[in-house]
Amino acid sequence: EKGGYDYFMLKEIAEQPQAIADTLLGRLSDRGEIVLDEVRLTDQDLRDIDKVFIVACGTAYHAGMVAKYAIEHWVRIPCEVELASEFRYRDPILDRSTLVIAISQSGETMDTLMALRHAKEQKARVLAICNTNGSTIPRESDAVLYTHGGPEIAVASTKAFLTQLVATYLIGLHLAQIRGVMYADEVAAVVEKLRSTPDALRELLNSMEDVRALARDLKTASTVLFIGRHVGFPVALEGALKLKELAYMHAEGFAAGELKHGPIALIDQGTPVVCVVPSPAGRGVMRDKVVSNIQEVRARGARTIVIAEEGDEDVRAYADHLITVPHTPTLLAPLMTTVPLQILACEIAAARGHDVDQPRNLAKSVTVE
Ligand code: M6R
């Protein structure tokens, strides 16, 4: 049933290209438009929205963080992302023109369910992004967009994360299209890139041998730090979460620019720092900023594991270990950069002798508040 893999997690990581393709299937027209007839909110409903809230937990929350960048950039309406467990206790400002997107693989996470119930009480419209047909969260939502990732057995979320990203990209582009803030050819250009991600991901998955050797080296580290900027920041948080839950190691993710405001004091001789580098394409301002953050940590003795785009040759000088990923437009980059971090956590956990699919103290879906 593990299809020749040692763990469900590895099988599910390998299934990601197909999971993305399946999540796109039937939702893109030949002309490169987004077709989301299944989302039962009228075009008028979607035009009336003036604010988006995303609520989710754990890995799904990280997908929401990425979505905020995409939605605000494409749709030009404010989008906030919030941990579902915090949402209703804060008395957020919600009304009929607020769209609340609840992201959940299982559809049964109690914190997310309670957040969506609160949103409904306040008359907001609730759209679920969910991987489990007929589960509670989509049943209680006004509309649902299913991720077609197939069953995810391992406790650690992998293919669900990438398909959640795809679902939020579809929603963002759909909103931009309906509200007329993006031209048809602009939407079509992103759609074309989305269509090419399964192949790019297959290529990436075939080049991960090195990560296994790296995992053996890192398995005795006392802490591993992850840094990124923009959409690389949630990827850093996700890399750290995976390592904590699977390898039981101390790990933390940071916005790269925030290090100098305190956390850089953690860095000691040999501290591993995983750095997620943005694409150098375009003006590459963000990429250069991250590279200077890498120099800062190296100056303090860090050992750097750098995730960068193929062809970014200059970054080599700052990497003790370099992992390259295929080129993608900035907002789509987490579909690539997350994958080596999933494999790294899985392999470190295995090298430490842990049960990768069933980490201690954790359940696949958390049905208590
Ligand atoms: O089923 P959900 O997507 O609502 O679950 C949310 C989190 O519990 C989940 O993503 C958790 O953080 C994962 N085990 C992380 O790998």
Side-chain angles (χ1 to χ4, degrees):
E1 48 180 9
K2 290 182 196 147
Y5 292 92
D6 290 344
Y7 314 106
F8 279 109
M9 185 180 176
L10 283 177
K11 174 172 178 268
E12 289 160 6
I13 289 172
E15 285 169 351
Q16 293 183 114
Q18 193 57 47
I20 292 178
D22 291 345
T23 301
L24 291 173
L25 196 70
R27 290 163 173 171
L28 305 176
S29 78
D30 293 342
R31 283 184 295 158
E33 299 147 332
I34 311 292
V35 187
L36 292 184
D37 298 342
E38 65 205 285
V39 172
R40 278 176 218 275
L41 291 172
T42 64
D43 288 3
Q44 193 54 49
D45 289 340
L46 296 176
R47 278 191 206 102
D48 289 343
I49 290 162
D50 60 14
K51 186 168 62 184
V52 177
F53 270 109
I54 302 177
V55 291
C57 306
T59 290
Y61 172 72
H62 298 152
M65 285 180 75
V66 174
K68 173 185 163 77
Y69 290 91
I71 290 174
E72 289 197 339
H73 182 73
W74 289 333
V75 192
R76 307 310 295 158
I77 50 178
C79 175
E80 287 189 46
V81 52
E82 185 143 355
L83 291 168
S85 55
E86 289 293 317
F87 186 66
R88 68 189 173 128
Y89 299 105
R90 192 176 64 72
D91 197 14
I93 302 163
L94 304 164
D95 58 33
R96 264 171 226 290
S97 53
T98 314
L99 176 67
V100 174
I101 304 179
I103 308 179
S104 174
Q105 187 287 130
S106 62
E108 301 296 346
T109 299
M110 188 55 74
D111 286 322
T112 311
L113 181 60
M114 296 314 278
L116 97 74
R117 284 186 182 157
H118 180 76
K120 283 192 77 177
E121 278 162 22
Q122 307 292 310
K123 309 280 181 263
R125 294 177 196 280
V126 179
L127 167 64
I129 293 178
C130 185
N131 196 43
T132 312
N133 253 303
S135 55
T136 313
I137 288 173
R139 270 195 282 117
E140 294 203 13
S141 298
D142 298 310
V144 54
L145 183 64
Y146 281 107
T147 49
H148 295 153
E152 193 179 62
I153 310 289
V155 165
S157 189
T158 54
K159 61 178 178 173
F161 179 66
L162 294 203
T163 58
Q164 285 160 356
L165 292 179
V166 168
T168 62
Y169 294 143
L170 290 174
I171 290 167
L173 292 169
H174 185 57
L175 282 171
Q177 182 179 288
I178 283 182
R179 297 165 67 97
V181 272
M182 271 171 94
Y183 292 117
D185 59 335
E186 292 174 311
V187 174
V190 184
V191 162
E192 198 188 309
K193 300 290 184 193
L194 269 175
R195 278 200 169 111
S196 66
T197 53
D199 282 341
L201 199 51
R202 278 186 199 102
E203 182 197 316
L204 174 63
L205 285 164
N206 286 331
S207 68
M208 290 286 95
E209 267 317 305
D210 270 17
V211 177
R212 300 213 159 82
L214 174 67
R216 285 190 292 275
D217 277 9
L218 293 183
K219 71 172 190 184
T220 52
S222 55
T223 184
V224 182
L225 307 181
F226 294 74
I227 62 171
R229 233 172 230 269
H230 192 259
V231 293
F233 171 37
V235 171
L237 294 176
E238 175 62 8
L241 174 61
K242 285 284 162 293
L243 198 58
K244 287 181 243 197
E245 74 171 334
L246 298 172
Y248 322 151
M249 284 164 78
H250 179 256
E252 262 192 271
F254 299 105
E258 195 57 18
L259 276 188
K260 58 185 175 298
H261 299 290
I264 203 162
L266 286 168
I267 292 170
D268 223 337
Q269 202 55 42
T271 304
V273 181
V274 180
C275 315
V276 184
V277 181
S279 169
R283 278 163 52 242
V285 180
M286 256 184 335
R287 179 251 176 223
D288 295 348
K289 285 272 156 59
V290 173
V291 169
S292 42
N293 300 137
I294 299 176
Q295 286 171 279
E296 285 157 17
V297 297
R298 274 171 74 94
R300 288 157 180 84
R303 167 178 181 196
T304 55
I305 295 111
V306 174
I307 321 277
E309 212 171 89
E310 279 161 16
D312 185 353
E313 287 306 320
D314 300 345
V315 95
R316 236 168 243 286
Y318 310 107
D320 293 303
H321 188 106
L322 179 65
I323 299 170
T324 57
V325 300
H327 168 74
T328 36
T330 301
L331 286 167
L332 308 188
L335 294 172
M336 300 295 141
T337 49
T338 310
V339 175
L341 307 188
Q342 297 169 338
I343 296 175
L344 186 64
C346 180
E347 295 292 344
I348 294 180
R352 286 165 66 99
H354 300 323
D355 182 343
V356 170
D357 289 332
Q358 287 286 333
R360 67 183 181 194
N361 305 331
L362 294 177
K364 180 67 183 161
S365 73
V366 183
T367 52
V368 289
E369 252 193 291

